[in-house]
Structures are given as structure tokens and as C-alpha cells.
């Protein structure tokens, strides 16, 4: 039950209007960390896709640039890229 609720929160979470990306990423990371503590194997690429999907439409340019880059990225690296994009 706990695992289900955390997964549900992770995949349905969306960044709120006016919210700093840092706060949103911290919340998403907490969900990922909770799943890891429950020994749930969460593929990093899937976690990255979930985070990208949770972003509002004004990150579409970032999303396109990120996918055109095609470099292997960790969740931590993605978070750094998003923070940099926010500071823009």
C-alpha cells in the first residue's frame, strides 16, 4: 500500500505554476528516495522521464534540447541542468 501511494504520487506529480524548479525536484527526489528505501528498483532513465513529464509546458524548449543532446544523464545531472535552465 505504501509503495503504491508513493508511486502514484511520483507519477501524478506536476510542477505548480510559479513554483521554483528546485522545490519541485526536491519533492520528486523524496519520492524516488522513499521507493529506494522500500527496495523498489526504479530505473534511472524511467525516473528521468517521469521528472521531465512532470514539468510545465514552458520547459518544452529544455525538453527538446535535452533529447537532441542524447548524452547519458543521471537524475542528479538532470536536476543540475534544470536548475541552470531556471536561472537562465
Amino acid at each position: 500500500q505504501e509503495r503504491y501511494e508513493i508511486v502514484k504520487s511520483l507519477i501524478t506529480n506536476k510542477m505548480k505554476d510559479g513554483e521554483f524548479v528546485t522545490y519541485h525536484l526536491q519533492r520528486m527526489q523524496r519520492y524516488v528516495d522513499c521507493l529506494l528505501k522500500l527496495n523498489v528498483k526504479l530505473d534511472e532513465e524511467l525516473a528521468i522521464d517521469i521528472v521531465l513529464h512532470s514539468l510545465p509546458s514552458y520547459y518544452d524548449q529544455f525538453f527538446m534540447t535535452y533529447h537532441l543532446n542524447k548524452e547519458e544523464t543521471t537524475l542528479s545531472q538532470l536536476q543540475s541542468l534544470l536548475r541552470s535552465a531556471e536561472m537562465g
Side-chain angles (χ1 to χ4, degrees), residues 44-88:
E44 190 152 33
E45 287 182 26
L46 177 59
I48 287 170
D49 287 342
I50 291 170
V51 168
L52 289 172
H53 178 71
S54 73
L55 299 172
S57 61
Y58 54 85
Y59 278 90
D60 286 351
Q61 184 61 47
F62 174 89
F63 183 77
M64 290 178 69
T65 304
Y66 174 80
H67 280 291
L68 288 174
N69 195 6
K70 296 197 188 260
E71 281 189 33
E72 288 285 318
T73 306
T74 65
L75 186 55
S76 178
Q77 289 169 327
L78 174 68
Q79 292 172 348
S80 293
L81 291 170
L82 285 166
R83 286 186 187 104
S84 294
E86 180 179 60
M87 292 178 185

Side-chain angles (χ1 to χ4, degrees), residues 1-78:
Q1 179 67 23
E2 181 182 11
R3 180 183 72 112
Y4 171 80
E5 292 299 326
I6 296 168
V7 169
K8 180 180 170 185
S9 295
L10 177 64
I11 63 176
T12 60
N13 196 327
K14 300 288 183 203
M15 187 172 155
K16 297 167 185 60
D17 281 341
E19 180 179 28
F20 289 113
V21 74
T22 298
Y23 299 140
H24 177 66
L25 294 173
Q26 288 171 345
R27 185 171 54 253
M28 298 296 279
Q29 186 65 54
R30 280 194 300 273
Y31 293 137
V32 169
D33 292 344
C34 286
L35 290 173
L36 293 175
K37 285 180 187 172
L38 293 172
N39 293 319
V40 174
K41 292 181 179 23
L42 182 63
D43 181 77
E44 190 152 33
E45 287 182 26
L46 177 59
I48 287 170
D49 287 342
I50 291 170
V51 168
L52 289 172
H53 178 71
S54 73
L55 299 172
S57 61
Y58 54 85
Y59 278 90
D60 286 351
Q61 184 61 47
F62 174 89
F63 183 77
M64 290 178 69
T65 304
Y66 174 80
H67 280 291
L68 288 174
N69 195 6
K70 296 197 188 260
E71 281 189 33
E72 288 285 318
T73 306
T74 65
L75 186 55
S76 178
Q77 289 169 327
L78 174 68

